[in-house]
Amino acid sequence: MLILKFIGSYLLTPVLWLGILYVIISYNQRINKERKQFRVAINKDFYEGRNFIKYGLFFFVIGSLISMILGLTLPTNSVYIYQILVVLAFLINGFSTTSMLLAMTAAGILELVVPRFITFFGDVFPEISGPSWLLLIFISILADYYLTRNMKKHPLSPRIKSGKRGRNIATYLGRETVVFPLLALIPSGTLFSTLNFWPVFNIGNQKFSLILFPIFISTSVKVIKRAKERVIQDKLKNIELLLGLTFVLIVLTKFMSKLFLISLIILTVVSIFFEIKLRKKEKDANSWYVETDEGIRIISVQPETPAAKMKLQPGDVILTCNNRVVNSEEEFYQALQLNSAYCHVKVRTYEGDLRIAESAIFMDSPHEIGLILFH
């Protein structure tokens, strides 16, 4: 019964329901935009919702182990302060690690320069809690890293726009969102004083309670010019450096608590720098996912289709199909009908390599091969 009440208190947190709502909206937007542009949903699977639950349970176990081993202890008012910061992060620039760091930095500066801010919210970032807040950031960035790495497994959702020379260009966006409960310690005080069922225990001369702290994580990958794998790999390297920096700052603030706000500012500046650097790399790249006169470029590949089995990728250019040169979608499907049960294609990959791909296809159903192509 106690465990059910414990879980029930977490289920009432606004951040959890904000995350659920955000995932549902993200899924519907993806499906609707794909149907509007391509007349079909490229991937109908509600993987956003499945990953929300799967990764949420995984991060709960890993994050809580880290929290309990290192003794993560947060101020009494941290639960509602964090949820206010999540909303503020959304208002800044949609939710991301950078926007969350910006929100925390803004709150820390306001607390320093506006006395009324402390009067209204209480002591937001007391010096003694600096290492714990940084540990919370570390766990969040670690979850961001895992989510980003796993985006390699899912196709990004394409968008079509008109280029400067009249040709259509494809860009790609992927997003993963999760809210997970994190076991943490909190001083037993007014927040739980009216809850007789809440577990309280002593460590030394101080009383503590266990809480399930809601952590909101949302990460995105946008591909404009480079291959998805390269963009994700660069982002992962940036997150690794940010993780290392956060760990160093945790150690420093453990011995010099006054460094907490400076640590937040450093993390925010570095995170912004990494985002700008990533965007610049994308801007400076020479390639585009653009229509071509030689062959026909693949915009996207539907999962669990013959095209997916052939390991065709967005950006690949189909040069021949069943030994016939193709330069348009119409010519491609005409070539497919030369063999009603088998497909043999020669493609030039987005990196410029030539390869042969072949697979059985659905009998007399060439349009079910699973390719989204430029018209």
Side-chain angles (χ1 to χ4, degrees), residues 57-230:
L57 293 172
F58 177 75
F59 295 150
F60 162 62
V61 174
I62 301 301
S64 295
L65 280 174
I66 295 172
S67 172
M68 291 294 96
I69 289 171
L70 298 180
L72 176 60
T73 306
L74 292 165
T76 305
N77 61 351
S78 60
V79 176
Y80 67 82
I81 289 295
Y82 178 82
Q83 297 187 73
I84 291 170
L85 290 173
V86 168
V87 174
L88 181 58
F90 263 107
L91 295 176
I92 289 172
N93 188 29
F95 192 91
S96 66
T97 295
T98 300
S99 63
M100 188 62 182
L101 287 170
L102 277 167
M104 293 182 74
T105 301
I109 293 173
L110 280 172
E111 184 180 30
L112 185 66
V113 300
V114 184
R116 289 183 180 180
F117 190 79
I118 299 177
T119 303
F120 185 79
F121 289 104
D123 202 355
V124 179
F125 298 128
E127 287 184 0
I128 195 172
S129 70
S132 290
W133 277 108
L134 287 176
L135 179 57
L136 195 69
I137 292 171
F138 181 87
I139 292 171
S140 299
I141 297 173
L142 190 64
D144 189 351
Y145 179 88
Y146 189 85
L147 283 180
T148 302
R149 192 185 69 175
N150 278 274
M151 288 181 75
K152 293 179 180 179
K153 301 177 182 178
H154 302 295
L156 305 184
S157 183
R159 302 287 183 270
I160 302 298
K161 64 178 184 178
S162 296
K164 293 180 180 179
R165 299 180 181 178
R167 294 185 180 183
N168 289 326
I169 296 172
T171 60
Y172 299 85
L173 178 67
R175 178 174 291 279
E176 289 283 10
T177 301
V178 66
V179 179
F180 65 94
L182 182 72
L183 271 175
L185 296 173
I186 196 168
S188 182
T190 55
L191 186 64
F192 302 111
S193 59
T194 59
L195 305 178
N196 297 325
F197 65 85
W198 207 265
V200 177
F201 53 91
N202 296 321
I203 299 179
N205 296 323
Q206 193 171 0
K207 291 183 177 181
F208 290 91
S209 295
L210 273 176
I211 61 164
L212 286 174
F213 197 95
I215 304 295
F216 190 108
I217 303 295
S218 186
T219 189
S220 64
V221 170
K222 187 172 184 179
V223 173
I224 300 174
K225 294 183 177 182
R226 298 188 297 152
K228 178 182 79 170
E229 291 74 18
R230 288 180 178 270

Side-chain angles (χ1 to χ4, degrees), residues 280-297:
K280 188 176 185 303
K281 266 194 171 183
E282 198 71 2
K283 183 180 178 180
D284 292 344
N286 295 322
S287 302
W288 288 91
Y289 290 87
V290 66
E291 286 180 296
T292 177
D293 293 326
E294 182 187 0
I296 180 167
R297 192 178 298 278

Side-chain angles (χ1 to χ4, degrees), residues 258-273:
K258 293 184 181 296
L259 288 177
F260 173 65
L261 183 55
I262 295 173
S263 298
L264 271 183
I265 294 171
I266 291 171
L267 286 173
T268 302
V269 171
V270 170
S271 185
I272 292 172
F273 170 75

